[in-house]
């Protein structure tokens, strides 16, 4: 028997389940088809302020009060302390040289701290996806979405006006007919395979591999590397990045003693380390970086290592008649700047608006074409930036300067959201602002290969000029020596860049709870 629904969503992670909730609010019948069974392991764990704001707005716009608390660490801990997460106050980077212990210097030339919030209450979070995704799937089910777990889909027939998905469930045939299919199954997922779509390489990204797992017993960095100055936030309460020539290691802490850690490295570096050997490869890797090895001295893997031999992925198309991929299914770049969750939530928001329209809306195909174009364009822009960062991991001054392009664009978009003026930044990385897009592209092109002498000086001038119209936090200011706190004074001074006055910023700070901690800032 073929079962019929308005919308079939393949994959019941947080994004697929969130879309199911939204679709139910809009009155659609929904089925969620999940290959695994909750709770299950998933990667993609570090949110950002933009992701938190998008989640908060979706919860408000579609009357999802159960979801809203997860947009801030403080409200999450008050409402659902049983769902494991981790405090994320910012982005921490340390630069390492092969076989050399890391040590601080007075100019902080081998470290970078970018605060995302002024205090824990309104901070972002790391999402331990097993429990987080399970909660979202349960909420979708409670709202009337049918959740089918441990189902294997093998084919998709789009020859008729209502697509048919085929597979098995519990050893029996499964057929689902739907008006519209949404793929939330991740990179190289169901629709990419079922439709035989081509894969296009990101021209700016080197081939990369990843190796990762969860650990217990990982020491805190700040317990081994103290500083006489007060950091903008505790350095371990962040997305911690250990950067070196050829790749980088992430460390994300959860509040149950589990730490997510892994490495992304170029294929040229991964091959001799034999990433496919898992735990042994990890030990070989960290042996090359004594200070990283030190924090893992007592660590034990909590589960088997996962090796991703081809990390970056881009589908040739993200939507067509009767189907769409979430950005997380249409492509994946690199977790370096925690771009995956905000990109995916932007896709959720766009598809939510699309689902408001009647099924026979005359601009339906144009809307899907626009969604596909915007999704792939944002993935391409992210890859261009991350590819440039990979090219400069040996040169931390250049690397830090390039990251400022991301952090300036992100903080501008976040503030536009808080001002309830999303039209100021409707695209990821401000791609809707041709002036910034052009300046950023110029910087990325200039950053190809080694840069010395006058060319290097010209690059830093160009980077500063690119930042200036959107820089709300004095990013790149040499006086801050690579530590960038979240200060109200910076935002107040930058009010004209947003087209508002100080009063509007003061109201914003009050609404978001910024000034409650230290009114003098």
């Amino acid at each position: 028997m073929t079962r019929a629904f308005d919308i079939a969503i393949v994959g019941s992670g947080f994004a697929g389940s969130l879309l199911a909730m939204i679709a139910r609010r809009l009155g659609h019948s929904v089925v969620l088809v999940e290959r695994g069974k909750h709770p299950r392991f998933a990667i993609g764990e570090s949110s950002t302020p933009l992701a938190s704001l998008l989640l908060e707005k979706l919860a408000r716009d579609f009357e999802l009060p159960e979801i809203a608390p997860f947009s801030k660490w403080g409200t999450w801990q008050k409402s659902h302390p049983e769902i494991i997460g981790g405090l994320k106050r910012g982005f921490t980077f340390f630069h390492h040289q092969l076989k050399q212990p890391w040590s601080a210097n007075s100019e902080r030339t081998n470290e970078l701290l970018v605060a995302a919030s002024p205090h824990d209450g309104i901070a972002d979070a790391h999402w331990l996806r097993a429990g987080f995704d399970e909660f979202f799937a349960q909420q979708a089910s409670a709202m009337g979405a049918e959740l089918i777990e441990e189902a294997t889909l093998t084919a998709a027939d789009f020859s008729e006006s209502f697509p048919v998905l085929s597979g098995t469930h519990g050893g029996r045939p499964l057929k689902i007919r739907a008006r519209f299919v949404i793929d939330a199954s991740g990179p190289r997922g169901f629709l990419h395979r079922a439709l035989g779509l081509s894969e296009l390489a990101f021209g700016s990204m080197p081939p990369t591999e990843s190796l990762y797992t969860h650990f217990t017993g990982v020491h805190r960095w700040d317990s081994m590397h103290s500083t006489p100055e007060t950091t903008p936030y505790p350095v371990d309460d962040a997305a911690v990045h250990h950067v070196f020539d050829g790749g980088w290691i992430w460390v994300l802490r959860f509040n149950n003693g589990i730490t997510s850690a892994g490495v992304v490295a170029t294929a040229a570096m991964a091959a001799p380390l034999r990433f496919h050997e898992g735990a042994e490869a990890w030990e070989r890797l960290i042996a090359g970086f004594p200070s990283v090895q030190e924090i893992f001295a007592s660590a034990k893997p909590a589960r088997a290592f996962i090796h991703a031999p081809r990390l970056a992925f881009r589908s040739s198309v993200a939507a067509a008649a009767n189907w769409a991929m979430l950005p997380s299914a249409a492509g994946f770049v690199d977790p370096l700047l925690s771009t995956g969750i905000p990109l995916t939530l932007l896709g959720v928001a766009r598809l939510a608006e699309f689902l408001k329209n009647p099924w026979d809306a005359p601009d339906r195909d144009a809307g899907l074409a626009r969604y596909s174009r915007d999704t792939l364009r944002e993935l391409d822009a992210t890859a261009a930036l991350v590819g440039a960062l990979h090219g400069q991991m040996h040169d931390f001054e250049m690397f830090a300067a390039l990251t400022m392009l991301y952090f300036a664009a992100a903080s501008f978009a976040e503030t536009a959201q808080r001002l309830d003026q999303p039209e100021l930044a409707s695209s990821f990385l401000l791609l809707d602002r041709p002036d910034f897009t052009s300046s950023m592209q110029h910087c990325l092109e200039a950053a190809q290969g080694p840069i010395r002498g006058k060319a290097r000086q010209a690059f830093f001038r160009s980077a500063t000029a690119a930042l200036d119209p959107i820089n709300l936090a004095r990013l790149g200011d040499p006086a801050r020596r690579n530590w960038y706190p979240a200060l109200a004074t910076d935002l107040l001074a930058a009010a004209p860049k947003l087209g508002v006055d100080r009063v509007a910023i003061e109201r914003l700070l009050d609404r978001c709870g910024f000034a409650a901690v230290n009114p003098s800032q």
Side-chain angles (χ1 to χ4, degrees):
M1 181 179 295
T2 301
R3 306 174 66 186
F5 299 86
D6 292 329
I7 300 169
I9 301 175
V10 184
S12 65
F14 75 88
S17 295
L18 179 57
L19 256 178
M21 289 182 248
I22 291 169
R24 289 296 299 139
R25 278 284 184 256
L26 294 172
H28 299 299
S29 59
V30 183
V31 61
L32 272 169
V33 186
E34 169 60 43
R35 179 179 58 183
K37 182 176 177 59
H38 292 286
R40 80 285 191 273
F41 178 82
I43 202 69
E45 301 158 317
S46 188
S47 72
T48 68
L50 181 57
S52 298
L53 288 162
L54 289 167
L55 186 63
E56 182 178 50
K57 186 175 189 303
L58 288 166
R60 181 175 63 249
D61 289 352
F62 294 96
E63 299 179 11
L64 302 171
E66 303 86 357
I67 300 306
F70 295 99
S71 63
K72 298 182 182 68
W73 180 248
T75 52
W76 177 343
Q77 294 309 291
K78 288 180 182 177
S79 300
H80 292 288
E82 78 284 0
I83 298 175
I84 303 303
L87 173 62
K88 182 179 179 182
R89 287 286 308 279
F91 292 77
T92 299
F93 299 84
F94 298 111
H95 191 243
H96 298 262
Q97 301 290 339
L98 188 65
K99 299 296 184 181
Q100 296 181 22
W102 186 92
S103 61
N105 62 68
S106 61
E107 292 305 308
R108 305 198 281 256
T109 56
N110 59 356
E111 58 184 297
L112 172 64
L113 274 60
V114 183
S117 61
H119 60 86
D120 294 1
I122 61 172
D124 306 310
H126 306 309
W127 300 352
L128 188 60
R129 292 282 301 278
F132 193 86
D133 287 2
E134 181 180 30
F135 180 84
F136 274 53
Q138 289 172 344
Q139 291 301 311
S141 180
M143 291 177 62
E146 182 161 347
L147 174 61
I148 303 176
E149 296 182 295
E150 297 181 295
T152 302
L153 293 178
T154 55
D157 182 358
F158 285 85
S159 62
E160 303 293 335
S161 57
F162 279 43
V164 176
L165 309 182
S166 302
T168 59
H169 177 238
R172 302 178 65 181
L174 174 67
K175 282 190 178 294
I176 294 170
R177 183 184 297 273
R179 288 178 179 268
F180 196 72
V181 178
I182 297 173
D183 190 348
S185 63
R188 302 181 181 90
F190 170 66
L191 283 182
H192 181 78
R193 298 191 309 271
L195 297 177
L197 301 177
S198 58
E199 179 174 341
L200 302 180
F202 293 115
S204 55
M205 278 290 296
T208 55
E209 299 184 27
S210 186
L211 182 66
Y212 56 88
T213 191
H214 285 169
F215 291 86
T216 59
V218 180
H219 299 306
R220 288 181 67 92
W221 180 269
D222 58 16
S223 70
M224 299 181 173
H225 298 275
S226 60
T227 175
E229 300 176 87
T230 302
T231 57
Y233 54 85
V235 296
D236 292 271
D237 296 339
V240 181
H241 307 68
H242 297 285
V243 181
F244 47 85
D245 188 4
W248 67 283
I249 292 167
W250 75 79
V251 180
L252 311 176
R253 296 180 177 276
F254 299 107
N255 61 355
N256 67 341
I258 292 291
T259 298
S260 172
V263 58
V264 176
T266 61
M269 182 175 192
L273 289 169
R274 302 190 297 281
F275 273 16
H276 65 277
E277 294 181 4
E280 293 83 359
W282 177 260
E283 293 301 324
R284 286 191 288 269
L285 169 75
I286 63 174
F289 304 101
S291 298
V292 175
Q293 187 179 40
E294 188 178 27
I295 66 171
F296 283 92
S298 304
K300 296 185 181 304
R303 54 178 297 116
F305 276 84
I306 296 175
H307 173 220
R310 292 187 301 139
L311 190 61
F313 160 77
R314 183 196 190 277
S315 182
S316 56
V317 63
N322 300 332
W323 65 266
M325 295 178 178
L326 280 177
S328 53
F332 184 80
V333 179
D334 188 294
L336 180 62
L337 297 173
S338 302
T339 55
I341 293 178
L343 277 169
T344 294
L345 288 174
L346 276 170
V348 170
R350 289 167 180 160
L351 286 177
E353 290 301 311
F354 172 80
L355 293 177
K356 288 180 179 180
N357 299 320
W359 294 112
D360 58 353
D363 61 347
R364 175 186 178 86
D365 289 347
L368 287 170
R370 184 167 55 251
Y371 171 83
S372 181
R373 180 199 67 211
D374 291 345
T375 296
L376 297 176
R377 182 173 176 236
E378 289 173 345
L379 285 166
D380 288 341
T382 302
L385 175 55
V386 173
L389 287 167
H390 268 280
Q392 295 296 336
M393 285 184 174
H394 65 288
D395 185 337
F396 196 66
E397 185 181 26
M398 286 289 298
F399 177 91
L402 287 167
T403 66
M404 295 298 103
L405 296 170
Y406 169 75
F407 289 118
S411 62
F412 190 93
E414 293 151 13
T415 308
Q417 287 282 344
R418 291 190 173 102
L419 285 168
D420 199 24
Q421 297 186 46
E423 69 279 0
L424 292 176
S426 59
S427 293
F428 198 66
L429 286 176
L430 303 187
L431 295 182
D432 51 348
R433 291 182 58 118
D435 55 341
F436 177 70
T437 302
S438 175
S439 297
M440 180 173 68
Q441 183 61 33
H442 175 75
C443 291
L444 299 183
E445 290 173 356
Q448 299 300 311
I451 305 177
R452 301 183 180 88
K454 292 182 178 179
R456 190 179 184 88
Q457 296 169 15
F459 167 82
F460 287 112
R461 287 195 299 270
S462 296
T464 299
L467 292 177
D468 185 62
I470 61 165
N471 192 349
L472 309 182
R474 287 177 55 192
L475 297 169
D477 184 344
R480 293 207 163 154
R481 292 177 295 144
N482 281 348
W483 285 6
Y484 300 101
L487 299 178
T489 48
D490 290 342
L491 200 54
L492 286 163
K497 296 180 181 182
L498 293 154
V500 299
D501 58 21
R502 288 176 61 93
V503 173
I505 298 298
E506 288 168 353
R507 290 172 180 163
L508 176 158
L509 295 169
D510 184 58
R511 284 196 308 273
C512 72
F514 193 111
V517 165
N518 188 352
S520 66
Q521 292 189 338

